[in-house]
Amino acid sequence: MSPEAFVGLLATELQVAGVVVGANYRFGYRAAGTASLLESLGPQHGLQVRILDLVAGTHQASASGSSSSSSSSSSSAERAAQNAAAAQEAASATIEEQQQQPGQQPHAQPGGQQHSQPPDAVERTAAHAAASSSRVRHALAHGDMADAALCLDRPYRLVASLADDPAATMLADGAALRLPASSLCNQPPRPGRYAAMATLTGDETLQELGPARHVQLSLDETGLSLHGCGDWAGALPPGAAHVALDFL
């Protein structure tokens, strides 16, 4: 549907009172609606609209935000937004330059190899300057847990269910604890070996039932093995429903 029809749907059928979106939000057929259009359409339908600047998720921005304890959170947010905007402007300038020079040959590298950054790669670089769910998923797919934590401002937490369903029952594997892939409640990182803090939780994953313990986590396509908590296989505390794994 058109952007106008979508906003009307929010107001009339869904009875939405307010909308909070990022500055790069798009909506409607073929993503024709922008955040600024939403900001103008909202009041016409009685909707409060708040547009938030993007948050830069770069190591440089993170370091600058923690270098001075006297800096306010608003100043840090402003610097982060400026870093994200600068990255986007740089990408746009690079794309424009490439489009204006269609006959330009890629720079020759030693050994006869040629490398050039296509426009779509430049756009991805600019997009990854800002923290986003897409960037978190990309980091997980590449096993980059540091970047995922940088975007989230906390360690990434993988949750596995301890339901009584035989397909999701924990299996003791020597000193390790084996959990099948079917028990995972959210996206795991790519297969590999990771350090994590493991905590048993109740139905609510923030309801911790005991102290966290340091484990080594081995992931593959069939599931995961936790090295360092094999004793949980036969001694789960009452009410244990999940194991929460915070990657270090």
Side-chain angles (χ1 to χ4, degrees):
M1 62 180 66
S2 68
E4 293 78 8
F6 176 73
V7 175
L9 172 74
L10 293 179
T12 58
E13 296 190 28
L14 300 182
Q15 299 182 353
V16 171
V19 181
V20 181
V21 298
N24 62 342
Y25 178 65
R26 305 301 292 261
F27 64 100
Y29 181 60
R30 293 188 174 179
T34 63
S36 59
L37 178 60
L38 177 62
E39 201 169 23
S40 64
L41 292 175
Q44 300 176 22
H45 295 271
L47 292 179
Q48 296 183 18
V49 177
R50 184 181 179 189
I51 309 298
L52 300 181
D53 290 331
L54 302 182
V55 176
T58 63
H59 290 282
Q60 180 179 3
S62 176
S64 64
S66 60
S67 60
S68 174
S69 60
S70 62
S71 299
S72 64
S73 59
S74 60
S75 298
S76 299
E78 290 174 0
R79 286 195 300 269
Q82 291 171 356
N83 290 339
Q88 291 176 337
E89 290 176 2
S92 299
T94 304
I95 295 171
E96 182 178 356
E97 180 181 355
Q98 292 174 343
Q99 291 173 343
Q100 291 175 350
Q101 302 177 10
Q104 183 179 5
Q105 296 298 320
H107 179 66
Q109 299 291 332
Q113 295 182 350
Q114 294 180 336
H115 300 279
S116 63
Q117 192 173 25
D120 60 339
V122 177
E123 290 176 344
R124 287 196 299 271
T125 300
H128 284 178
S132 67
S133 57
S134 297
R135 177 173 166 179
V136 173
R137 290 191 296 270
H138 181 272
L140 294 177
H142 290 78
D144 190 349
M145 307 313 295
D147 194 53
L150 184 66
C151 291
L152 297 169
D153 200 27
R154 61 169 174 81
Y156 182 74
R157 169 168 283 198
L158 179 64
V159 178
S161 172
L162 303 177
D164 292 333
D165 185 339
T169 299
M170 295 189 305
L171 303 174
D173 182 16
L177 196 66
R178 183 71 183 170
L179 298 172
S182 58
S183 69
L184 301 181
C185 302
N186 55 332
Q187 180 182 343
R190 75 174 183 181
R193 192 176 181 89
Y194 304 87
M197 296 299 294
T199 309
L200 292 173
T201 70
D203 291 330
E204 299 292 336
T205 56
L206 294 179
Q207 178 190 355
E208 298 183 356
L209 302 180
R213 62 172 70 182
H214 189 281
V215 298
Q216 290 294 322
L217 170 63
S218 298
L219 268 168
D220 57 34
E221 292 78 5
T222 63
L224 58 87
S225 297
L226 300 179
H227 303 270
C229 58
D231 57 302
W232 280 353
L236 287 176
H242 302 90
V243 57
L245 301 162
D246 294 324
F247 287 79
L248 302 178

